[in-house]
Amino acid sequence: MNDKSKIWYFEKVDLYEILCPHKVPHMAEKHTFHNFSKDDFIYFPEEVSESIYMISEGRVKIGAFTDDGKEVVKAILGHGEIFGELALAGEDKRTDFAQALDNGTKVCPMTIDDLQELMKDNQELSLKILKIVGFRLKKVERKIESLVFKDARTRIVDFLKETAEERGQKVGFETMIKNHLTHKDIASLTGTSRQTVTTVMNELREQNIINFDRRRILIRDMERLN
């Protein structure tokens, strides 16, 4: 398992089980889940950063707006993932927005004070959270470079490679990605169009490099994925 996969494992499994206040006995009684319908905003840019959030059900889009009002999607997160973590790194006000993508999206907020209480005597937990904050920042930097220097097809292929490295499961010689993203979602994350994503994905399938359906993407040959 490479470093990226380890960070994904920390984020996807350990942290949600450890951090969700409903799983911490002395915190459970004072915390409630927050429920959102599709397209509801969980927070907006310029709001005070005072909590981080864990996703119990549904999907959440993290994004920002350019000066001319264009939306830039930074991430689409699902069950078990955390967001708003820059509040822990000293962010006073949000620089991005968080928006529910599904009806029945359920998130659990945790205040920075509560989180710091958990981290105070748990060095391993502190290290994991710091790794995630750093990893997320590096991903944003790589995405900016990709938008500036790479063409649409390369951005889509790089997205598939990166997702396979972070979330993929080996199935024999192939790599399976459990998929909760539509072609429209991938287009938003790569700064391309849905039509371009569909064209590139179909071309890769015709070349027997990948296969996909609504539930998964199967990469048959990572070396040929270019």
Side-chain angles (χ1 to χ4, degrees):
M1 185 180 288
N2 60 31
D3 289 342
K4 289 182 179 179
S5 297
K6 288 179 181 178
I7 293 171
W8 170 254
Y9 176 80
F10 292 154
E11 183 177 17
K12 184 68 175 177
V13 181
D14 292 351
L15 284 185
Y16 181 70
E17 293 298 319
I18 295 171
L19 292 180
C20 181
H22 294 86
K23 300 178 184 294
V24 182
H26 71 281
M27 294 182 177
E29 293 184 359
K30 65 178 183 178
H31 282 84
T32 59
F33 286 105
H34 293 185
N35 297 289
F36 298 91
S37 298
K38 182 178 179 180
D39 296 330
D40 285 350
F41 282 90
I42 299 165
Y43 58 73
F44 293 94
E46 297 301 320
E47 285 190 12
V48 176
S49 298
E50 55 189 7
S51 298
I52 68 167
Y53 300 84
M54 288 138 282
I55 304 172
S56 175
E57 296 178 20
R59 298 176 303 153
V60 173
K61 175 172 68 177
I62 308 299
F65 296 106
T66 63
D67 292 340
D68 58 2
K70 183 178 179 181
E71 179 183 284
V72 177
V73 178
K74 297 181 179 180
I76 294 177
L77 308 174
H79 170 74
E81 296 185 83
I82 65 172
F83 62 97
E85 72 281 352
L86 288 182
L88 185 65
E91 178 187 65
D92 295 323
K93 293 184 178 180
R94 303 290 185 193
T95 57
D96 51 24
F97 66 81
Q99 184 180 27
L101 287 179
D102 303 310
N103 286 319
T105 295
K106 182 185 293 186
V107 303
C108 184
M110 172 178 276
T111 67
I112 299 304
D113 288 342
D114 283 343
L115 180 56
Q116 288 175 340
E117 180 184 343
L118 286 179
M119 294 172 63
K120 182 171 58 177
D121 299 316
N122 191 331
Q123 186 175 2
E124 183 181 9
L125 174 62
S126 301
L127 180 60
K128 290 176 182 179
I129 292 176
L130 288 174
K131 282 185 176 180
I132 286 176
V133 172
F135 181 59
R136 290 268 178 91
L137 289 174
K138 286 182 179 179
K139 284 193 72 171
V140 171
E141 290 176 1
R142 288 201 304 271
K143 181 173 181 178
I144 293 171
E145 290 177 359
S146 179
L147 290 171
V148 173
F149 297 111
K150 297 181 179 180
D151 61 31
R153 189 184 191 283
T154 303
R155 295 201 297 272
I156 294 166
V157 168
D158 284 353
F159 172 81
L160 293 174
K161 289 180 178 178
E162 185 176 88
T163 305
E165 289 177 354
E166 294 171 13
R167 309 187 185 193
Q169 300 175 356
K170 294 297 290 185
V171 181
F173 294 104
E174 302 173 333
T175 304
M176 183 183 71
I177 306 165
K178 291 183 178 179
N179 187 32
H180 64 267
L181 301 175
T182 65
H183 285 189
K184 181 180 179 182
D185 294 334
I186 296 173
S188 296
L189 288 166
T190 56
T192 58
S193 69
R194 180 168 55 183
Q195 182 178 1
T196 300
V197 171
T198 299
T199 298
V200 172
M201 296 281 283
N202 285 338
E203 287 176 354
L204 292 171
R205 179 160 60 182
E206 288 170 4
Q207 296 166 12
N208 201 33
I209 297 173
I210 69 170
N211 197 6
F212 60 89
D213 55 33
R214 291 185 177 181
R215 296 176 298 174
R216 66 176 189 168
I217 299 173
L218 187 66
I219 299 179
R220 298 190 182 281
D221 190 338
M222 287 290 291
E223 292 185 1
R224 292 179 60 207
L225 184 58
N226 53 51

